[in-house]
Structures are given as C-alpha cells and as structure tokens.
Amino acid sequence: MNSKQQEILDILQEEAAEVIQAISKVRRFGLQNNIEELNKELADLSYMIELAKTYIPEIGQFNFALGERRKYDRLVQYSNIFKHEESLS
C-alpha cells in the first residue's frame, strides 16, 4: 500500500468515526438540532469512500452493486426497515 492509499484509509476511518459520533448526537438530542452535522459527516464519509474506490484498486474492483443488493436482502430478512413498504405491494 502506498502513502496516498494509507492516507485515504486513515481519513476514511476518521470520517467513519465522525459519522458514528453525529448519529449518537442525533439519538441523544434529536434529529432537528443535529441534522446539519449528520449530513456534513455523511457527505464527508461518502466522498472518502469514492476516493478509496478510485485510488485503491482492490476496493474499486469490488462489485458494490452486488454488495448493496446483499445488504438489502439481509435488511429485508432481519430488520423492520422495509416491512411497511412490502405490505403496500
């Protein structure tokens, strides 16, 4: 791994931690007072994920669409996120 890749992963890790912290604040103090910070941190994380996909070939070669579909299938099976939507079909 070269120094650029290492730096991308370091910043990506920091951004992931900042998203966790922003979510904690939303859960403790409410969405209304913390939505701006959560949106900012999610955007920062999203950008770093894109950089990782661009500059680290082993990440960029991963089939994200397939991975996202597997995650969706697990959420349908094990969570309640999509329950209401399924009953509308």
Side-chain angles (χ1 to χ4, degrees):
M1 181 175 314
N2 65 41
S3 61
K4 181 185 287 192
Q5 293 169 328
Q6 184 63 49
E7 185 174 8
I8 288 169
L9 289 179
D10 290 345
I11 297 169
L12 177 60
Q13 181 178 10
E14 291 172 13
E15 295 302 342
E18 289 174 7
V19 167
I20 292 168
Q21 184 177 23
I23 291 169
S24 293
K25 287 182 180 177
V26 164
R27 293 181 54 87
R28 289 180 64 206
F29 306 114
L31 188 60
Q32 217 168 18
N33 297 329
N34 296 285
I35 189 64
E36 187 174 327
E37 185 67 17
L38 177 58
N39 282 330
K40 176 193 161 299
E41 297 302 346
L42 287 170
D44 289 352
L45 179 62
S46 178
Y47 185 73
M48 293 311 300
I49 291 169
E50 290 305 314
L51 280 182
K53 289 164 64 175
T54 300
Y55 289 102
I56 304 172
E58 297 83 356
I59 293 174
Q61 294 166 1
F62 177 74
N63 185 339
F64 277 83
L66 180 59
E68 289 168 350
R69 180 58 198 209
R70 280 194 304 257
K71 182 61 176 179
Y72 170 80
D73 290 342
R74 287 191 309 267
L75 289 171
V76 166
Q77 184 175 0
Y78 298 112
S79 80
N80 295 315
I81 295 171
F82 301 108
K83 294 291 190 233
H84 181 67
E85 293 174 15
E86 289 177 356
S87 64
L88 296 176
S89 301

